[in-house]
Amino acid sequence: MPISGLPPYDPQNIFARILRGEIPCKKVFEDEWSLAFHDINPQAPIHVLVIPKRPYCSFTDFSATAGADEIAGFMRAVGKVAKELGLEAAGYRILANMGEHGGQEVPHFHVHLFAGRLLGRMIAG
């Protein structure tokens, strides 16, 4: 089913359930704003998801409604994860999908962090 990325937020989505502890994850990092964990279907040798702890449907929702401290805290968490995983020297890619055409699959804002090999072009085709 296509994901619109727009409210309302679905509290039964898989990331909401992970945040509530109903589904386990392979945690990489956690602070007051964010949780980072390994993707269960990695698309690169290193594929980590960073999610805000509060309920946002997409980047659109997050950027419009999160407070400045939360946005800054989330972005810093993405940077901390990359640094703690030792990704800075070789490089990495950050990706956030929004809506059906963007390829969003889970209706909870999240950032993909890819690394561990040359990643190629940003958009295929």
Side-chain angles (χ1 to χ4, degrees):
M1 175 178 216
I3 302 294
S4 78
L6 300 174
Y9 181 80
D10 174 9
Q12 294 307 311
N13 76 72
I14 191 167
F15 294 166
R17 296 181 66 207
I18 288 170
L19 285 167
R20 289 193 301 266
E22 296 171 7
I23 297 174
C25 69
K26 189 175 173 189
K27 184 169 42 172
V28 172
F29 175 86
E30 184 172 15
D31 67 9
E32 68 178 297
W33 306 112
S34 310
L35 174 65
F37 51 92
H38 289 279
D39 194 298
I40 62 169
N41 185 27
Q43 303 300 303
I46 299 168
H47 184 173
V48 171
L49 301 172
V50 185
I51 66 174
K53 288 188 167 177
R54 294 190 54 204
Y56 300 103
C57 300
S58 63
F59 177 76
T60 297
D61 186 20
F62 180 73
S63 65
T65 60
D69 287 346
E70 185 174 9
I71 292 170
F74 180 81
M75 294 307 294
R76 286 190 180 106
V78 174
K80 286 178 187 177
V81 169
K83 183 176 182 79
E84 288 181 8
L85 292 175
L87 307 180
E88 293 174 329
Y92 56 91
R93 178 171 296 157
I94 298 169
L95 173 73
N97 299 314
M98 192 312 202
E100 181 179 1
H101 284 195
Q104 185 175 359
E105 295 178 353
V106 178
H108 184 108
F109 172 53
H110 57 286
V111 169
H112 296 260
L113 185 59
F114 300 105
R117 67 169 169 83
L118 186 60
L119 297 169
R121 295 184 53 85
M122 289 196 317
I123 299 177

